[in-house]
Structures are given as structure tokens and as C-alpha cells.
């Protein structure tokens, strides 16, 4: 029960709570922090690599200068691209694709007034439908950025195969009062296929001050259904609310949250807590942060475990991390954390340390790849008499994940005309989990492979 709760509630590490939708959010964070505009539209794709020496050799060639501006955007020199496009427009002011790219660059530089003036000028020009579709998209995004309240809905539906649904011991044996016993048929390792559904709502409201303070509100629902292992069907519902105080270059975010977790329609875990996070913008491409979290966890007896209540208690977590966009198309994240769990009994109380390292690649056209590694050390306070009275449990969980995401429109609608296919992403992921322990009961391997469609709506 504790393992299943950890998978969905993120107890111990956010790495266990990742879903395809959350990896999509990380990809968007990489695009947001990158200097270039996200290359998700045809006009932003580099037609050909052009150097400044090429431009010097033929400075009057409009197509050559336009390709050079695209090259500048691709390598992160957005301001340089703006200067190149301005130079073209001085000579040819009525070229739609040049003026549209210039408006997009202004938008990415957060010069919204200038960008919207360019959008209005563009609407009076004749242009292909593909360009007009991109014009309307960015014009809408500019309006969204000005809104006091922004709402994002993320929908995800996928299928997965789990090699060890019940996290059964790897050796097929368990200890009971220091006696080694063979697992019965109901407890051996069992694999199964299943479906996962996620609905997530995120809202942000500008508090109306000169500093960009924001009110934050979120809600989520996650459900997994297995083909055969119906007694393990988990559901998670959660809400959170907080404030983001803009103390530039710092951002302080206190958040209150609550989660409700069920297994096979039975109430399994309720948790509520407070999270304090402090972000610091070290540079435009690098952020560091620290967090402190206090969480009350209450477990209930269910059919799978009548002694689940032994895990009830408080958990305290502290961590430091950083994220850096060291190249326009690459983002690295790292986090170290310490967690202390104080449960009803000492054999369920523990303290541990964890390390999470992640990397995101932007592959072009909105496609991305991510890898993440997670390692933790857990030491328990005392021995469990029902397992081994004189042996204190020590666990070493290790997990690796890889995700590939491809926008559906990249394959079926490369010109970006369809509104429905926009922000619809296909993801394929693999997760390999290995838990080593000094007690055979808790030593297991668990692999999971999944595919999903993720749809994002903003308004």
C-alpha cells in the first residue's frame, strides 16, 4: 500500500509522481526558458543554415537575410534576429512572412504592445492560409499573456504495461518473524496491462500589484485501470492553492494542498500539507530553488492491508535544486532532498536522502526527449517484529525514466492549420525501478512502458 501511495502521491520524491502530462509541462518549461522561440511552427523552422559571412557576401538578398534571421533564432540570438528582420522591413515593408516572424520575435521578447501592432498590420496584408493560422495563434497567445486570469486544462489518456503490479519481492520469498517463506500464488510477481487517465486544472490570477504577485489554484484527478488486477485499481484526487510573491530576483511560493487516494474504490490515504518554495533567478537561463514541506498522512485499513494504518504520521521534506538552459535546445535539472517520516510505530518511521537528475532535449518542431534518474537512501528507525525483530530495514530505491514526445500536428498537420491538433502530443515512455533492501520482503524490480496522448487547453 505504501508503494502504491508513493507512486501516485509522490511521497518521497516527485520522480514517482510523473505522468505523461507532467513531462509535457517540463518540456514547455524548457521551451519557455530557452532564448529562441519554440520551433513548433513552420515559419520558425530553419530553411537553411546561413552565416553572417553569407549575408555580407550578398546583403540585398531578402531570402538570404530571412534564413539568417531563422538561424539566429535557432541558436538563441533573438535580439539579433529582430535587428535582421527590421533591416529587411526597411526595404520591403509588405512581406507577410518577414513581418510575421518579426512580430513573433517581439512577442518572445515580451514586447507585447509592439507585437500586437505588428499583428494588426499583418491582418491587412494578403497571405497564405498557413501564415494566417500562425498569425491568429500568436495573436491569441499575446491576448492570453495580458489576461489577469489564465487557466490551463491538461487531459491525458494512455495505456501501459506494468511488469510487477503488486511490487512482489524479487526472490519470490518473504520473511515472517525471521523465517524465510515462499510466497503464495496471490502474492507472487504479476504483470498486467492497463489504462491511465489524467485531468489537471491550473489557474493563475494576477494580484494587481506593480510586482507580479499571483494567486495560484490547481486540481487534478488520476485513475489507473488494470485488465486483470482490479483489486489494485488506484485513484487520486488532489487540490492545491497558494500565492507566488514576486520579490525579484526571488519568487516565494507558499502552497497548501490536500490529496485523497483510493484503491479499488476503498479509501486508502488522505494527506494534507504545506509547501514553501523559494526560487532565485541566477541568470536568465539558470534558476536555483529551495523548498520545505510538511505533510500529514493518514492511512486507512483496506482489503489489501489491514495494518496500513501503521504508516499514518507526519513527513517533513527539505530540498535544494537548480535548472539551467545551458543550450537553447537543452535543459538540465538537479535536486537533492532529505525526508523524515514519523509514523505511528518506529518500524514504519524513516529518514532518507534523495538525488534526482533530469535532462530535456528540444528536438525541433515541438518534439522533445527527456531522461530522469532518481536514487534514494531510506533508513528505518527500528525493526519490525513481524518481519525481523533484530534487523532494521534499509532500502535503496533506484529509478530511471525516458520519455519521447511528438506533437501530433508535426505528422498530420505540419502547417498548423487545425485547432484541434494544436497542443496535442503523443508520448512514449519507459520507467525502470529497482529497490534493493537488506530485507527480502522489500526487494523488487518493477518496469513500466506506456504510450499516451496529452491535450493542453489554455484560456
Amino acid at each position: 500500500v505504501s508503494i502504491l501511495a508513493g507512486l501516485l502521491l509522490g511521497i518521497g520524491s516527485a520522480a514517482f509522481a510523473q505522468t505523461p502530462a507532467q513531462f509535457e509541462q517540463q518540456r514547455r518549461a524548457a521551451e519557455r526558458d530557452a532564448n529562441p522561440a519554440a520551433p513548433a511552427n513552420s515559419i520558425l523552422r530553419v530553411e537553411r543554415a546561413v552565416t553572417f559571412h553569407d549575408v555580407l557576401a550578398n546583403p540585398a538578398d531578402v531570402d538570404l537575410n530571412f534564413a539568417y534571421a531563422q538561424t539566429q533564432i535557432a541558436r538563441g540570438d533573438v535580439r539579433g534576429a529582430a535587428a535582421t528582420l527590421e533591416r529587411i522591413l526597411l526595404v520591403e515593408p509588405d512581406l507577410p512572412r518577414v513581418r510575421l516572424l518579426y512580430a513573433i520575435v517581439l512577442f518572445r521578447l515580451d514586447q507585447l504592445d509592439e507585437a500586437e501592432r505588428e499583428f494588426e498590420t499583418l491582418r491587412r496584408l494578403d497571405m497564405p492560409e498557413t501564415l494566417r493560422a500562425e498569425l491568429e495563434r500568436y495573436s491569441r497567445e499575446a491576448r492570453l499573456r495580458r489576461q489577469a486570469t489564465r487557466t490551463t486544462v491538461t487531459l491525458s489518456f494512455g495505456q501501459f504495461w506494468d511488469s510487477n503490479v503488486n511490487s512482489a519481492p524479487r526472490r519470490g520469498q518473504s520473511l515472517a518473524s525471521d523465517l524465510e517463506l515462499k510466497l503464495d500464488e496471490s502474492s507472487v510477481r504479476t504483470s498486467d496491462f492497463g489504462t491511465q487517465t489524467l485531468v489537471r486544472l491550473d489557474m493563475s490570477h494576477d494580484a494587481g500589484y506593480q510586482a507580479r504577485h499571483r494567486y495560484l489554484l490547481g486540481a487534478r484527478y488520476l485513475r489507473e485501470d488494470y485488465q486483470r488486477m482490479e483489486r489494485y485499481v488506484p485513484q487520486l484526487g488532489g487540490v492545491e492553492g497558494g500565492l507566488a510573491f514576486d520579490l525579484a530576483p526571488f519568487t516565494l511560493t507558499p502552497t497548501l494542498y490536500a490529496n485523497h487516494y483510493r484503491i479499488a474504490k476503498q479509501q486508502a490515504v488522505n494527506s494534507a500539507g504545506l509547501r514553501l518554495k523559494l526560487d532565485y533567478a541566477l541568470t536568465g537561463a539558470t534558476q536555483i530553488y529551495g523548498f520545505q514541506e510538511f505533510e500529514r498522512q493518514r492511512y486507512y485499513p483496506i482489503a489489501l492491508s489491514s495494518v496500513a494504518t501503521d504508516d499514518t504520521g507526519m513527513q517533513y521534506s527539505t530540498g535544494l535544486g537548480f535548472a539551467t538552459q545551458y543550450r537553447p535546445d537543452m535543459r538540465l535539472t538537479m535536486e537533492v532532498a532529505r525526508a523524515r517520516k514519523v509514523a505511528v510505530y518506529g518500524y514504519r518511521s524513516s529518514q532518507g536522502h534523495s538525488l534526482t537528475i533530469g535532462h530535456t532535449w528540444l528536438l525541433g518542431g515541438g518534439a522533445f526527449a527527456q531522461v530522469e534518474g532518481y536514487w534514494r537512501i531510506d533508513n528505518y528507525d527500528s525493526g519490525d517484529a513481524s518481519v525481523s525483530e533484530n534487523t532494521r530495514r534499509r532500502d535503496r530505491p533506484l529509478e530511471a525514466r525516458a520519455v519521447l514526445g511528438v506533437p501530433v500536428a508535426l505528422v498530420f498537420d505540419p502547417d498548423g492549420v487545425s485547432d484541434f491538433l494544436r497542443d496535442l502530443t503523443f508520448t512514449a515512455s519507459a520507467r525502470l525501478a529497482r529497490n534493493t533492501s537488506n530485507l527480502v520482503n522489500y526487494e523488487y524490480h518493477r518496469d513500466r512502458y506506456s504510450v499516451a496522448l496529452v491535450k493542453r487547453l489554455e484560456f
Side-chain angles (χ1 to χ4, degrees), residues 67-308:
Y68 179 57
Q70 291 177 314
T71 303
Q72 288 176 295
I73 293 171
R75 69 171 185 238
D77 185 12
V78 184
R79 294 189 181 280
T84 301
L85 294 167
E86 286 171 355
R87 191 167 59 248
I88 299 173
L89 291 171
L90 285 173
V91 181
E92 297 283 352
D94 294 327
L95 293 177
R97 64 171 184 159
V98 177
R99 191 166 288 279
L100 177 57
L101 185 57
Y102 180 56
I104 293 172
V105 167
L106 291 174
F107 170 75
R108 293 296 180 179
L109 291 172
D110 210 28
Q111 298 178 19
L112 297 184
D113 291 335
E114 293 86 346
E116 289 183 335
R117 280 197 294 269
E118 293 296 327
F119 291 144
E120 288 303 315
T121 301
L122 277 161
R123 287 192 175 91
R124 296 192 291 268
L125 300 178
D126 292 330
M127 66 183 73
E129 286 302 314
T130 54
L131 287 183
R132 192 165 295 278
E134 292 189 30
L135 163 62
E136 295 304 326
R137 176 183 180 182
Y138 276 96
S139 180
R140 178 177 176 273
E141 289 190 11
R143 291 194 300 271
L144 282 174
R145 188 171 291 187
R146 287 188 180 277
Q147 289 181 183
T149 302
R150 296 191 61 175
T151 303
T152 302
V153 177
T154 305
L155 308 172
S156 174
F157 179 78
Q159 291 190 310
F160 62 85
W161 178 77
D162 195 320
S163 69
N164 190 3
V165 175
N166 51 340
S167 298
R170 184 172 62 90
R171 302 180 194 176
Q173 297 176 323
S174 65
L175 287 176
S177 300
D178 285 311
L179 297 176
E180 196 164 289
L181 305 174
K182 186 176 181 180
L183 295 177
D184 58 34
E185 291 187 4
S186 64
S187 301
V188 296
R189 174 173 173 168
T190 305
S191 62
D192 201 359
F193 289 92
T195 60
Q196 182 188 79
T197 304
L198 171 71
V199 181
R200 183 179 179 94
L201 170 71
D202 294 286
M203 297 181 66
S204 173
H205 178 74
D206 192 319
Y209 296 93
Q210 184 174 356
R212 301 181 65 178
H213 306 316
R214 292 171 293 133
Y215 300 108
L216 305 174
L217 181 66
R220 63 191 180 278
Y221 173 75
L222 176 65
R223 178 188 174 98
E224 293 185 346
D225 291 281
Y226 296 95
Q227 288 187 357
R228 293 180 290 110
M229 303 290 287
E230 293 183 357
R231 63 186 180 133
Y232 286 97
V233 173
Q235 298 178 71
L236 168 69
V239 295
E240 60 185 22
L243 294 168
F245 294 101
D246 180 11
L247 309 172
F250 294 92
T251 302
L252 175 63
T253 310
T255 305
L256 291 170
Y257 63 90
N259 294 311
H260 177 68
Y261 175 61
R262 302 176 69 85
I263 298 178
K265 299 181 180 180
Q266 290 184 296
Q267 179 174 249
V269 188
N270 281 336
S271 69
L274 168 66
R275 183 186 306 114
L276 298 173
K277 186 180 180 186
L278 182 66
D279 295 90
Y280 174 66
L282 191 63
T283 67
T286 302
Q287 301 83 41
I288 58 177
Y289 64 89
F291 68 88
Q292 178 69 57
E293 190 169 306
F294 311 88
E295 180 174 293
R296 170 67 178 175
Q297 302 166 357
R298 183 176 180 182
Y299 285 74
Y300 297 86
I302 58 174
L304 287 175
S305 175
S306 60
V307 295

Side-chain angles (χ1 to χ4, degrees), residues 174-180 346-347 380-394 437-442:
S174 65
L175 287 176
S177 300
D178 285 311
L179 297 176
E180 196 164 289
Y347 67 87
Y380 287 77
D381 291 1
S382 62
D384 182 355
S386 65
V387 179
S388 178
E389 185 174 7
N390 298 317
T391 304
R392 289 196 300 171
R393 178 181 168 188
R394 298 190 302 273
S437 177
N438 62 331
L439 297 174
V440 295
N441 300 43
Y442 310 108

Side-chain angles (χ1 to χ4, degrees), residues 345-363:
Y345 299 104
Y347 67 87
R348 300 303 301 169
S349 300
S350 65
Q351 57 183 345
H353 300 81
S354 65
L355 171 66
T356 305
I357 300 176
H359 195 281
T360 302
W361 290 266
L362 303 180
L363 305 177

